[in-house]
């Protein structure tokens, strides 16, 4: 197969798959993985694909308009609930815990079984999920500029209040993880998350396996500065091995 034919086929595959591995492309085209890596470097240089560890991502998938929190609740629900249950078990009675915006974190606070907690959040959906938990937790909802897409309060008011507190544990979600970068769609929301993470004793990223090797707009924190990444049990081994160089991964 000629190089231009491979280029065309790779772009076509990514138009439907969004992310594809080097090994899979090599098998499809009956060429070496080294050849595919060279092809992906060239396509990335031309702006046709976005290279990620072990493969490539479609350019269009990184430009998709961010879904709102109601739409996100309908996506990958079993994977999100699996991760949420694991994260909920890490919290100890009597702790002060920050829970950031995100549908997986809504599921997490619904799973909490601890008897006594102080929960801090700037997410209205997370606050509502915590309020409906059967346990009578001390809930603190941080105000600020309301971001309708995620249901979070952000900006100067939120940041001022969050800076004044300390947290035993902080749980944040992401729109994607690419190499050592935690990615989100909104700069202000990312800055708010960074403030909390910097003030937390234990820092956790809670995300389903579909967020790995996924890019987005703004890099708000280093993965290697987080204590633990909590994700699904069936995440690909090559991803566990790769991201394991940056962070402890809980995918049990």
């Amino acid at each position: 197969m000629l190089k231009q034919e491979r280029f065309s086929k790779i772009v076509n595959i990514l138009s439907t798959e969004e992310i594809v591995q080097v090994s899979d492309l090599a098998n499809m085209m009956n060429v070496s993985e080294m050849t595919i890596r060279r092809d992906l470097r060239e396509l990335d240089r031309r702006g046709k694909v976005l290279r990620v560890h072990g493969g490539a991502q479609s350019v269009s998938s990184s430009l998709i308009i961010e879904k709102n929190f109601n739409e996100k609740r309908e996506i990958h629900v079993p994977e999100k609930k699996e991760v949420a249950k694991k994260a909920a078990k890490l919290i100890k009675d009597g702790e002060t815990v920050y829970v950031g915006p995100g549908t997986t974190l809504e599921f997490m606070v619904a799973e909490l079984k601890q008897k006594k907690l102080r929960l801090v959040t700037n997410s209205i959906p997370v606050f509502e999920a915590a309020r409906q938990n059967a346990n009578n937790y001390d809930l603190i909802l941080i105000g600020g500029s309301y971001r309708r897409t995620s249901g979070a309060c952000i900006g100067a008011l939120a940041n001022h209040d969050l800076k004044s507190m300390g947290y035993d544990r902080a749980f944040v979600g992401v729109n994607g993880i690419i190499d050592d970068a935690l990615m989100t769609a909104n700069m202000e929301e990312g800055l708010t998350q960074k403030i909390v993470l910097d003030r937390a004793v234990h820092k956790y990223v809670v995300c389903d396996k579909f967020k790995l090797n996924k890019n987005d707009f703004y890099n708000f924190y280093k993965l290697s500065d987080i204590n633990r990444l909590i994700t699904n049990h069936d995440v690909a081994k090559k991803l566990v091995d790769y991201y394991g160089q940056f962070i402890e991964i809980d995918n049990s």
Side-chain angles (χ1 to χ4, degrees):
M1 184 180 292
L2 298 175
K3 181 165 72 171
Q4 291 303 322
E5 291 179 299
R6 293 198 306 273
F7 284 6
S8 178
K9 188 166 184 178
I10 289 169
V11 172
N12 285 337
I13 290 169
L14 282 168
S15 70
T16 58
E17 297 294 328
E18 291 193 358
I19 294 179
V20 67
Q21 300 296 317
V22 167
S23 56
D24 293 335
L25 290 171
N27 289 333
M28 290 176 195
M29 299 182 207
N30 197 27
V31 296
S32 69
E33 292 189 10
M34 185 178 295
T35 297
I36 293 297
R37 289 192 185 94
R38 285 198 298 265
D39 290 349
L40 294 179
R41 281 196 295 270
E42 176 64 18
L43 287 168
D44 181 85
R45 187 184 67 78
R46 297 183 186 185
K48 300 295 186 182
V49 306
L50 180 67
R51 288 188 68 204
V52 297
H53 174 73
Q57 177 182 348
S58 68
V59 174
S60 61
S61 70
S62 67
L63 300 176
I64 294 172
I65 296 173
E66 184 187 14
K67 293 180 174 64
N68 67 43
F69 60 87
N70 286 316
E71 293 171 319
K72 288 179 180 179
R73 281 198 195 101
E74 307 302 319
I75 301 171
H76 307 311
V77 172
E79 290 83 4
K80 289 178 177 180
K81 287 187 173 181
E82 178 201 341
V83 173
K85 287 179 181 179
K86 288 193 286 188
K89 293 176 182 177
L90 296 172
I91 300 171
K92 310 298 183 185
D93 265 320
E95 290 186 327
T96 297
V97 179
Y98 169 81
V99 183
T103 54
T104 302
L105 295 173
E106 291 177 53
F107 291 135
M108 187 194 86
V109 297
E111 289 289 335
L112 292 174
K113 303 294 193 295
Q114 294 81 359
K115 296 301 181 185
K116 181 178 176 58
L117 290 174
R118 180 187 292 117
L119 294 181
V120 181
T121 186
N122 60 314
S123 165
I124 292 176
V126 167
F127 174 81
E128 284 299 320
R131 190 175 64 82
Q132 294 173 32
N133 186 296
N135 294 288
N136 187 26
Y137 297 139
D138 182 5
L139 303 181
I140 300 174
L141 176 61
I142 300 297
S145 299
Y146 179 62
R147 183 167 182 257
R148 191 174 298 276
T149 302
S150 64
C153 294
I154 58 175
L157 291 174
N159 294 347
H160 177 271
D161 287 345
L162 289 167
K163 279 180 183 177
S164 68
M165 303 176 192
Y167 314 93
D168 295 302
R169 301 178 197 273
F171 295 83
V172 300
V174 294
N175 281 23
I177 300 175
I178 192 81
D179 298 325
D180 194 26
L182 302 181
M183 309 301 295
T184 190
N186 180 268
M187 183 181 296
E188 280 197 277
E189 191 165 313
L191 291 172
T192 299
Q193 301 264 68
K194 181 181 185 303
I195 286 168
V196 175
L197 289 169
D198 285 343
R199 296 191 57 78
V201 178
H202 302 286
K203 308 169 176 62
Y204 304 94
V205 173
V206 184
C207 71
D208 61 67
K209 62 184 179 181
F210 302 103
K211 301 294 177 59
L212 296 173
N213 265 5
K214 185 177 179 184
N215 209 352
D216 213 299
F217 170 65
Y218 182 66
N219 172 11
F220 70 95
Y221 217 74
K222 284 187 176 182
L223 180 63
S224 54
D225 288 336
I226 298 292
N227 296 108
R228 192 181 302 181
L229 168 63
I230 305 164
T231 190
N232 297 113
H233 74 282
D234 57 348
V235 64
K237 184 179 184 301
K238 64 180 72 174
L239 292 178
V240 173
D241 292 343
Y242 179 70
Y243 286 102
Q245 69 182 305
F246 301 109
I247 190 173
E248 178 186 348
I249 298 177
D250 182 353
N251 66 318
S252 57

